[in-house]
Each structure stands twice: as structure tokens, then as C-alpha cells.
Amino acid sequence: MTAPRRSLDDLLLYRLSRLVGVAGGMVIRLCEGRFGITRREWRLIAVLASRGELGSSQLAEHAQLDRARTSKAVGSLVEKQLVSRVARAGDRRQVLLGLTESGQALYGELFPLVTKINAELMEALGEEDATRLDESLRRLQAQAERMVQKAVLPKADRGRHGAGGISPPSSRSP
């Protein structure tokens, strides 16, 4: 007897992705349509607003983005005059990134709108369920971080094996 086939809807990560896709879509529309920034740029602005000035690597780490994407988004935010780059005293190769007055103003206007979307979404849960969800998400985040630290996974191929970028099964490592 074979096990019943499970669907994508049984997978936590898929369900969370769908939730972010739907509810996050409203945030993306606000960011792009009203404020002229991408969701990635919004994430960097929000991190800088909450953490203060950071180096590029620190910003990438806190935003959970790779350095290349962070660098590209920072360049765009500097061009839009929302983020400033200031050389660190004593080492001009190191720069600190911070919000400009325009960046702070954008954050001050957009954050309450994002907070309102979040609050409206959370209305689906009572206070007790919201508290339980918060604790569960904290535990899931900690577990995911532990899993990443001990995982041995292959790097993404990014299409180096031709059009499909998929290696034949015999050449994949277990």
C-alpha cells in the first residue's frame, strides 16, 4: 500500500509563500505605485530605520539578502537620495549607509500603511491565537537558523550546464 500523495498545500513554506504573495502584494503596490521603490528597497529602508547606520555587509545580513542584491538596491536608493553613503573615519574604504531626510520621511509615511495592512491581516486571529502564532514563528525561525548552520547543500548552478541548468541525475550529489 502506498502512502497518500500530499499536495503543496500541506507544506508550510508553500503556504507562507502564498500568504506573503497575497498580503505582501498590497505592500508591493504601495511601494512601487505610490512611493516609487521596490520591495527590496523598502526592506533596506526599514532595516536602516530600525537599526540605524550600517555597513553594507551588515545591512545585507539584517535584511537577509545577498550582498550583490543589497549593493544594487543601495545604489538605487542612493540615486533616489533616500540613502546616504558616508566613509568611516580612518578607513575610507568602509562606508556607513544611513537614511537621508527624504528616506526617513518616506519611512515615516509608508511604515504606518504597512502596519495597518499587518494589523488588518492579524484581525483574523484573536489575541490568544496571535500570541501563539508569534511564539510559533519565533521557534520556527530559530529552528530554520539551526538547520541552515548544519546543512550541507549544493550551491545553485545558475544555468552553467546549458539551457535548462539541470544536471543529469547521475551527476547530482546526494
Side-chain angles (χ1 to χ4, degrees):
M1 183 185 242
T2 61
R5 179 176 232 147
R6 298 190 61 173
S7 76
L8 278 175
D9 290 323
D10 294 330
L11 302 176
L12 173 66
L13 296 177
Y14 178 73
R15 294 174 71 190
L16 290 173
S17 177
R18 289 193 55 195
L19 174 61
V20 169
V22 174
M26 292 183 285
V27 174
I28 291 168
R29 289 183 71 178
L30 273 173
C31 288
E32 292 176 351
R34 186 163 165 190
F35 294 92
I37 60 171
T38 67
R39 70 172 184 242
R40 187 169 291 130
E41 291 169 344
W42 164 241
R43 187 186 304 187
L44 297 180
I45 288 169
V47 168
L48 289 171
S50 65
R51 304 249 180 209
E53 290 182 329
L54 295 170
S56 186
S57 293
Q58 294 169 306
L59 179 58
E61 183 180 322
H62 287 296
Q64 293 188 319
L65 293 171
D66 65 55
R67 289 182 184 156
R69 287 191 171 119
T70 300
S71 178
K72 184 176 179 181
V74 164
S76 176
L77 289 168
V78 168
E79 193 174 293
K80 293 174 184 176
Q81 299 181 341
L82 298 171
V83 167
S84 64
R85 287 183 176 129
V86 178
R88 287 187 182 178
D91 187 355
R92 297 190 57 78
R93 294 171 299 165
Q94 297 276 332
V95 296
L96 285 176
L97 304 167
L99 293 180
T100 63
E101 283 186 35
S102 296
Q104 291 170 351
L106 184 146
Y107 178 80
E109 195 175 338
L110 179 53
F111 187 74
L113 300 173
V114 173
T115 300
K116 184 177 177 188
I117 290 169
N118 188 74
E120 192 173 336
L121 181 61
M122 292 300 289
E123 285 176 6
L125 304 177
E127 190 173 326
E128 190 176 307
D129 285 340
T131 300
R132 254 195 309 258
L133 174 63
D134 187 56
E135 175 59 22
S136 295
L137 289 173
R138 187 196 61 73
R139 290 192 341 251
L140 287 167
Q141 181 71 32
Q143 176 69 2
E145 289 170 6
R146 285 189 297 272
M147 290 169 60
V148 164
Q149 289 199 352
K150 66 181 181 181
V152 178
L153 300 170
K155 295 270 187 194
D157 192 351
R158 306 281 187 231
R160 286 182 220 120
H161 287 289
I166 298 174
S167 303
S170 61
S171 67
R172 289 187 193 151
S173 41

